[in-house]
């Protein structure tokens, strides 16, 4: 379980959301366990049965306005009831004024109060984005991630099979390294995997026989990128005669990472085979496919059509080239 | 070396899927496999070659197998063709 504290939210968003801390770091250690935000309107009106007090609470114009319309006695009761819940923090939007009474009660209950000039909807949008990122499911995969012609290709396979060497070769050919050896993958939005390097390893790789290599220093800034969507997995394996390797490519093999399906290509390696060039073809083939061109399918359709029409005769270009005596 | 005449029986002919089945089966054996149609002959372990023949339903092909396990190879390949490559 991800543990996000109020303190971290404040630290990460203080600048962007222009958060102003009105009382003190009272609940900065408190852990928030879900990414959702909550507006405690109904809790203020007295209905607290299903109050999701564990979420970050947002007090918008509606709530602030409602508090002002209440009689002093009622307001006191409502606030006391609200503050009796162990909320992580409350954010007041649109720079609404906060009464001393409100702050005093919050401070007594050890709840940090923030204020922002943002409108409620805008704030909730921005903060939700941040929370979703923080709570995105993540996984670490043993592999290398390279941006090949804009396609995020992740190489996997046993240790020592040559993932780093292929990544290096691709970088040499002008592609961009995201990470080598360890890919941190998180699921962003629906069905999108984003891979990045661990802070420590960033654009360094180990090449057997040389040691640690700093790709950015050697190949320059254009040779790296910080993160990339993981789109295709290339699984490297030793050539095994008994294995059934893909020969046509009509059917895609799929692998699942964090519940997201991506195509996987199993590539047998053997001496004399240039995996780097094949990896480029894998990327380009993927680009063609997402643009609606499936080479294998088109080829097969043409083949079936030609068989059914019984037309195997030469014509057009073939006939023209037939006369090309040289 | 053994040779046999075969006729393609599945409706769509030897398109990509049957061709892949054919070469994958052929590749399991040590013998050399050749597939001929009219004056053309291709290596039965090459998918592009097999597809080039564009063998539609009813076309007659000559299957040639050479090698130590030629009998088993031929039997496996003929079974595949006669089973219509598990198609219609």
């Amino acid at each position: 379980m991800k543990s996000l504290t109020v303190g971290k939210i404040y630290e990460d968003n203080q600048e962007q959301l222009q958060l102003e801390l009105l009382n003190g770091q009272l609940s900065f250690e408190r852990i928030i366990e879900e990414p959702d935000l909550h507006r405690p309107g109904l809790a203020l009106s007295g209905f607290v049965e299903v109050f999701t007090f564990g979420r970050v609470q947002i007090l918008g114009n509606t709530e602030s306005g409602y508090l002002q319309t209440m009689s002093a006695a009622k307001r006191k009761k409502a606030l006391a009831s609200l503050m009796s819940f162990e909320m992580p923090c409350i954010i007041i939007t649109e720079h609404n004024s906060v009464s001393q009474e409100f702050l005093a009660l919050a401070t007594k209950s050890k709840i940090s109060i923030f204020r922002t000039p943002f409108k409620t909807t805008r704030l909730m949008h921005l903060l939700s984005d941040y929370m979703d990122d923080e709570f995105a499911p993540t996984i670490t995969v043993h592999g290398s991630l390279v941006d090949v012609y804009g396609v995020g290709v992740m190489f996997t396979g046993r240790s020592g099979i040559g993932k780093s060497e292929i990544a290096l070769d691709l970088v040499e050919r002008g592609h961009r390294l995201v990470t080598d050896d360890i890919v941190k993958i998180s699921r962003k939005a629906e069905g999108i995997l984003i891979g990045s390097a661990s802070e420590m390893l960033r654009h360094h790789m180990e090449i057997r026989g040389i040691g640690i290599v700093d790709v950015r220093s050697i190949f320059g800034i254009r040779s790296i990128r910080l993160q990339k969507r993981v789109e295709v997995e290339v699984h490297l394996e030793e050539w095994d005669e008994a294995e059934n390797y893909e020969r046509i490519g009509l059917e895609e093999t799929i692998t699942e990472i964090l519940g997201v399906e991506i195509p996987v290509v199993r590539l047998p390696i053997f001496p004399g085979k240039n995996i780097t060039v094949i990896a480029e073809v894998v990327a380009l083939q993927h680009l063609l496919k997402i643009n609606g061109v499936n080479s294998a399918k088109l080829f097969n359709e043409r083949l079936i059509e030609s068989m059914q029409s019984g037309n195997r005769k030469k014509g057009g270009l073939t006939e023209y080239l037939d006369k090309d005596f040289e | 070396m053994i040779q046999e005449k075969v006729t393609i029986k599945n409706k769509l002919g030897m398109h990509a899927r049957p061709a892949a089945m054919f070469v994958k089966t052929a590749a399991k054996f040590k013998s050399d496999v050749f597939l001929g149609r009219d004056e053309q002959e291709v290596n039965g372990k090459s998918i592009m070659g097999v597809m080039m023949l564009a063998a539609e339903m009813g076309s007659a092909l000559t299957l040639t197998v050479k090698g130590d396990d030629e009998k088993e190879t031929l039997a496996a390949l003929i079974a595949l063709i006669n089973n219509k490559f598990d198609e219609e």
Side-chain angles (χ1 to χ4, degrees), chain B residues 1-2 31-32 65-75:
Chain B
M1 185 191 86
I2 44 175
S31 299
D32 291 330
V65 187
K66 284 179 217 164
D68 294 340
D69 54 359
E70 54 188 32
K71 271 195 180 146
E72 297 90 311
T73 315
L74 188 72

Side-chain angles (χ1 to χ4, degrees), chain A residues 59-172:
Chain A
L59 237 61
N61 267 348
T62 326
E63 291 80 7
S64 296
Y66 177 62
L67 277 172
Q68 274 168 19
T69 60
M70 289 170 125
S71 68
K74 266 193 164 172
R75 179 165 57 234
K76 197 172 175 191
K77 205 179 145 215
L79 285 176
S81 156
L82 179 74
M83 299 299 182
S84 69
F85 290 93
E86 204 175 81
M87 296 173 283
C89 63
I90 298 176
I91 303 175
I92 291 153
T93 61
E94 291 200 47
H95 228 289
N96 276 312
S97 61
V98 185
S99 65
Q100 281 309 314
E101 182 192 14
F102 185 97
L103 274 183
L105 275 165
T107 307
K108 204 175 135 210
S109 304
K110 295 202 183 336
I111 297 164
S112 291
I113 308 293
F114 302 107
R115 189 158 61 180
T116 170
F118 281 93
K119 279 192 190 304
T120 311
T121 41
R122 185 80 190 126
L123 173 94
M124 289 184 79
H125 182 75
L126 293 170
L127 194 55
S128 288
D129 232 27
Y130 167 79
M131 299 288 274
D132 282 346
D133 267 7
E134 284 298 312
F135 281 89
T138 55
I139 189 180
T140 306
V141 174
H142 178 59
S144 308
L145 181 61
V146 185
D147 171 343
V148 185
Y149 296 125
V151 178
V153 182
M154 180 169 75
F155 297 93
T156 57
R158 71 155 178 78
S159 200
I161 201 155
K163 298 183 291 292
S164 302
E165 286 74 7
I166 289 162
L168 190 63
D169 212 8
L170 283 166
V171 162
E172 224 270 324

Side-chain angles (χ1 to χ4, degrees), chain A residues 1-9 12 28-34 130 134-135:
Chain A
M1 189 72 215
K2 203 82 189 175
S3 62
L4 181 66
T5 61
V6 174
K8 184 162 163 41
I9 294 184
D12 292 348
F28 271 33
E29 301 295 313
R30 215 159 277 173
I31 287 165
I32 297 148
E33 278 167 350
E34 49 183 324
Y130 167 79
E134 284 298 312
F135 281 89

Side-chain angles (χ1 to χ4, degrees), chain B residues 40-54:
Chain B
Q40 250 172 350
E41 189 172 68
V42 298
N43 188 325
K45 295 184 181 184
S46 142
I47 190 148
M48 297 313 270
V50 171
M51 288 197 293
M52 190 199 73
L53 291 180

